Amino acid sequence: MPAAPDAWIYDAVRTPRGKGKDSGSLYTVPPLDLAVTVLDALRDRNHLDTDTVDDVVLGCVTQTGDQGACIARSAVIAAGYGEKPPGVTVNRFCGSGLEAVNHAAVMVASGFYDLVVAGGVESMSRVKMGSDGGAMFDPDMVLDHGIVPQGISADLLATLRGFTRQDVDGFAVESQARAAAAMAGGAFDRSIVPVRDENGLPILEVDELPRPGTDLAALAKLNPSFVMMGEQFGLDALTRRVYPQVERITHVHHAGNSSGIVDGACGVLVGSRAAGERAGITPRARVRAMAVVGDEPVLMLAGPLPATERALEKAGMAIGDIDLFEVNEAFAAVPLTWLEHFGVDHAKLNVHGGAIALGHPLGATGAMLLNTALDALEDRGLGTALITLCIGGGMGIATIIERV
């Protein structure tokens, strides 16, 4: 029996990230329009015959309101892809965008699909995080299993690892500096697709969240965000069932060293080699390996560690074989923990900044990180990148790509 084909990445595009509040530039733009923007761009940039697209897989976390009723299929129809491409919306919390790409890659590598559009969308200004409800927010779930809010988990992680306020603030300052340098140097230009109004005029052309010039003195003025929630509401105490050695959580995270709330969408074109040849397009990379894992749900945010290890094992690689890394900056303690665990040079991690500076549009972030990693590999003439994210409820996801 012949081996299953590889899954190749042919293109990746994204919208700019807009501030996820009613004063943000993308607040007036429905999430459907954000998704249509990236679908249109993939079609037009690659002269794609959309009848050949086997499926459209989009990550979206808060699937209610403007983002309900399978936004992936709605985007296919609204983008003018015709009747043939179906659509499916997936939710693996913060890993949804990368899950969508992995989902597409598995479909293609199985040999049952030839060409799949993947990615994600999230309008956090219009559809508030948590507005879809669910068991994860139920008080019984919190009390019975100690499922505390992620900010508490982030401070618990920092406490367990011994990270100080200066450590997490220092990481945030570096994220801002790298994002500013990347924007000034045009590192995102090939991938960003402006969001336009119905008259074709640009609404947003560049990422809106970064704060160039952020320094330690500015961050030192911000109060920790989760003290009241943890100490006065008693949520810190719930973590002691699993971590009795932690007598007191040191609260170090705040808005300046945590991921920003933003709006945005991303699209990635995944296909077989034969499908690319038929379409007359050249692959940019191939998916080398992927992994998704469950992890301890109270700490919740350490999932990138076992996910990275499993992806490397599946690829038959060691950490030293990877040239660049994207570890989602949900909170500064997450990439700091990852760096400490694997002993990787910080110069190889999040080279263009991360979600602390640029923002974390939940359902799209994973695909955006893969997009950023691919562009960075090409800019530097390097070969491999690993992308990984922590996920609510105690999960982790990782993908390794290899540049063609």
Side-chain angles (χ1 to χ4, degrees):
M1 177 180 291
D6 285 324
W8 302 86
I9 298 170
Y10 285 94
D11 202 7
V13 297
R14 69 172 177 92
T15 68
R17 296 170 173 95
K19 292 180 180 178
K21 54 182 67 175
D22 57 14
S23 60
S25 295
L26 298 181
Y27 174 67
T28 60
V29 182
L32 178 63
D33 291 356
L34 298 177
V36 166
T37 296
V38 294
L39 262 60
D40 282 347
L42 286 178
R43 178 194 60 213
D44 297 344
R45 282 166 49 127
N46 297 283
H47 307 288
L48 195 62
D49 176 3
T50 56
D51 282 352
T52 64
V53 174
D54 292 309
D55 206 354
V56 173
V57 186
L58 294 182
C60 184
V61 173
T62 311
Q63 295 184 31
T64 190
D66 285 350
Q67 294 177 167
C70 191
I71 194 170
R73 176 58 177 168
S74 299
V76 168
I77 296 169
Y81 266 45
E83 298 177 354
K84 292 186 177 180
V88 61
T89 311
V90 300
N91 179 8
R92 199 184 289 280
F93 295 148
C94 297
S96 298
L98 192 58
E99 174 66 29
V101 176
N102 289 356
H103 192 102
V106 168
M107 295 160 78
V108 169
S110 72
F112 290 112
Y113 294 73
D114 297 314
L115 200 62
V116 180
V117 172
V121 61
E122 203 81 31
S123 176
M124 300 182 75
S125 65
R126 296 172 66 101
V127 186
K128 301 303 181 184
M129 182 169 49
S131 59
D132 54 338
M136 201 67 75
F137 300 99
D138 187 275
D140 288 339
M141 186 78 168
V142 173
L143 293 173
D144 292 347
H145 301 279
I147 306 298
V148 294
Q150 283 195 352
I152 304 285
S153 296
D155 287 339
L156 172 62
L157 180 62
T159 301
L160 288 167
R161 291 281 176 166
F163 298 137
T164 65
R165 172 67 182 264
Q166 188 165 6
D167 291 332
V168 291
D169 282 358
F171 187 91
V173 167
E174 181 63 19
S175 180
Q176 292 284 354
R178 292 184 182 191
M183 293 175 71
F188 305 133
D189 290 356
R190 84 184 71 174
S191 293
I192 285 187
V193 181
V195 178
R196 301 182 182 276
D197 64 17
E198 59 185 15
N199 297 313
L201 299 175
I203 297 173
L204 187 63
E205 297 180 286
V206 297
D207 293 309
E208 188 174 37
L209 188 71
R211 299 177 296 279
T214 297
D215 58 20
L216 286 172
L219 295 185
K221 298 176 182 178
L222 300 178
N223 292 323
S225 298
F226 307 103
V227 174
M228 180 178 293
M229 185 185 297
E231 296 181 357
Q232 296 185 26
F233 294 173
L235 296 180
D236 284 0
L238 292 179
T239 68
R240 296 192 190 110
R241 298 178 191 174
V242 180
Y243 299 96
Q245 72 273 31
V246 179
E247 295 183 5
R248 182 177 182 275
I249 293 176
T250 303
H251 291 282
V252 295
H253 288 94
H254 51 75
N257 57 34
S258 306
S259 56
I261 294 174
V262 293
D263 306 331
C266 185
V268 181
L269 184 59
V270 181
S272 65
R273 174 71 86 171
E277 291 173 351
R278 288 193 296 270
I281 52 179
T282 303
R284 297 172 61 186
R286 74 181 178 104
V287 177
R288 180 81 179 261
M290 64 184 71
V292 62
V293 302
D295 201 33
E296 197 282 296
V298 174
L299 186 59
M300 185 185 315
L301 303 175
L305 306 185
T308 294
E309 290 166 346
R310 182 172 294 184
L312 289 169
E313 180 183 1
K314 297 247 180 216
M317 303 174 76
I319 197 77
D321 297 326
I322 305 295
D323 296 312
L324 295 177
F325 302 91
E326 287 287 329
V327 179
N328 190 37
E329 296 174 2
F331 301 89
V334 176
L336 282 171
T337 295
W338 189 94
L339 280 170
E340 182 180 76
H341 182 84
F342 289 104
V344 169
D345 185 349
H346 190 183
K348 296 182 177 182
L349 175 80
N350 299 357
V351 295
H352 291 155
I356 290 172
L358 295 162
H360 177 17
L362 304 178
T365 303
M368 286 183 172
L369 295 185
L370 184 143
N371 189 170
T372 298
L374 177 55
D375 286 348
L377 287 176
E378 291 176 341
D379 288 343
R380 291 162 171 75
L382 299 174
T384 56
L386 184 146
I387 304 97
T388 184
L389 299 92
C390 59
I391 301 173
M395 295 184 282
I397 190 169
T399 302
I400 298 171
I401 62 171
E402 183 176 28
R403 184 175 69 90
V404 176

